Amino acid sequence: MKTYAGIPEENATLENSKVVLITVPYDGTSTWGKGADKGPELFLDASENMELYDIETGTEPYLEGVYLAGEISENSSAEAMTEAVYQKTKELLESEKLFTLFGGEHSVSIGSIRAVGEKFENLTVLQLDAHTDLRPEFHGSTSNHACAVFEANQKHNLVQVGIRSMDVEEVEYLPEGRVFFAHEIANNENWVNDVLEKVSGNVYITIDLDAFDPSIAPSTGTPEPGGLQWYPTLELLRKVFEKCNVVAFDIVELMDSPYAKPSAFLAAKLYYKMLAYYHINKN
């Protein structure tokens, strides 16, 4: 039995786990760097090679259990993939466990946010990303990676952090007062608290790894300069878990490349850190 991070089987069954994890190795609509379909494999491999004691919280999050709920391999079209993710997310949400997803490109989040939004009222979607991803459709599809949070913005309280690239057509869709551009964050020592003021209630966190500066996460589809750094980002996430009811999260856009290992390890540590923050605020 393959388990998340190679953890013991008794910590990896659905019954014994407080967290479920699905992987979606989809890379059908990305437009520049290809290889996000290898992201889940790289993430799981890196997870098996990290220490399972979290120094900051003094905990071993895996003891709370992580159930690896399989892979969604539907790739006949972006729309079919979105529907498959939506249905699987709905099914897993019935287990009343923390839902987590690892992509794939950012389009994989559309279906999971849709399902989570149907289950939880007053949902805030906290997006860490270099790009706004607010196009209504792109290249003839509403399930394109460039449309990843368009639907979420229509239905929920969308808060965007780390943005530093967008198309002019997206300006009209920006969630007013809830976009934290990277160039503003760079000059604002209080940015974490400013973000927290906009985040409340039930929260879905979606993290595109290109939100981070490419100096620490180079292996993404579009590594934009001027991104977020590790410790300030963890501070934000820790405080979100403290303040709000995080009901789901995903991490996307880890890309295969000759330099993938540092980014894969960052993704593995990031996922595990978020589990630590979740558990210390639930227990």
Side-chain angles (χ1 to χ4, degrees):
M1 173 183 174
K2 181 174 176 60
T3 65
Y4 160 75
I7 63 177
E9 289 188 14
E10 62 262 30
N11 302 115
T13 65
L14 181 59
E15 298 73 33
N16 293 346
S17 296
K18 293 184 179 177
V19 178
V20 294
L21 166 63
I22 64 168
T23 58
V24 190
Y26 182 78
D27 191 28
T29 76
S30 58
T31 44
W32 195 38
K34 287 284 187 181
D37 55 321
K38 301 293 192 299
E41 181 184 334
L42 291 163
F43 160 73
L44 291 173
D45 179 60
S47 298
E48 288 189 22
N49 290 283
M50 73 181 176
E51 307 283 5
L52 294 174
Y53 174 72
D54 181 64
I55 296 171
E56 180 190 2
T57 59
T59 64
E60 295 177 279
Y62 81 91
L63 294 175
E64 303 284 356
V66 180
Y67 175 62
L68 202 50
E71 172 184 295
I72 293 177
S73 54
E74 173 62 64
N75 63 3
S76 59
S77 71
E79 288 74 19
M81 176 276 298
T82 295
E83 179 64 19
V85 173
Y86 167 72
Q87 294 295 346
K88 185 66 174 178
T89 305
K90 274 184 67 169
E91 172 195 324
L92 289 171
L93 286 172
E94 292 177 6
S95 68
E96 302 297 327
K97 302 174 190 295
L98 176 68
F99 173 84
T100 67
L101 178 157
F102 200 96
E105 60 169 63
H106 210 164
S107 61
V108 303
S109 306
I110 297 172
S112 54
I113 294 173
R114 184 180 297 165
V116 170
E118 289 177 1
K119 182 176 176 67
F120 295 96
E121 295 182 351
N122 303 317
L123 187 70
T124 290
V125 177
L126 175 61
Q127 173 196 6
L128 277 57
D129 204 323
H131 308 88
T132 42
D133 293 344
L134 285 171
R135 286 177 168 94
E137 61 90 33
F138 194 59
H139 292 173
S141 172
T142 57
S143 291
N144 190 285
H145 70 102
C147 315
V149 293
F150 177 80
E151 181 180 311
N153 190 36
Q154 302 296 305
K155 294 181 177 180
H156 310 297
N157 174 44
L158 177 67
V159 179
Q160 301 183 302
V161 178
I163 304 298
R164 52 200 189 276
S165 181
M166 63 184 293
D167 187 79
V168 67
E169 74 165 300
E170 297 174 89
V171 173
E172 66 177 288
Y173 302 114
L174 289 175
E176 190 172 350
R178 302 194 304 277
V179 184
F180 295 85
F181 293 104
H183 70 278
E184 295 172 344
I185 286 172
N187 296 307
N188 178 7
E189 291 182 358
N190 200 46
W191 72 270
V192 168
N193 291 327
D194 290 347
V195 173
L196 284 171
E197 288 179 7
K198 305 294 184 181
V199 180
S200 61
N202 298 313
V203 178
Y204 183 115
I205 304 172
T206 179
I207 302 179
D208 185 327
L209 290 171
D210 68 22
F212 290 99
D213 192 76
S215 62
I216 60 170
S219 200
T220 67
T222 315
E224 295 269 356
L228 302 177
Q229 294 296 329
W230 179 247
Y231 287 111
T233 303
L234 290 186
E235 180 190 355
L236 170 64
L237 292 171
R238 186 177 71 246
K239 288 182 174 179
V240 169
F241 278 93
E242 287 171 2
K243 177 186 177 184
C244 305
N245 180 35
V246 177
V247 295
F249 70 80
D250 69 52
I251 301 173
V252 301
E253 297 282 355
L254 173 61
M255 188 186 79
D256 192 15
S257 77
Y259 312 105
K261 281 192 172 180
S263 302
F265 208 81
L266 179 144
K269 293 285 282 191
L270 178 66
Y271 180 88
Y272 203 59
K273 276 285 185 189
M274 293 171 78
L275 295 190
Y277 298 152
Y278 176 76
H279 292 314
I280 62 172
N281 288 290
K282 285 295 181 182
N283 293 338

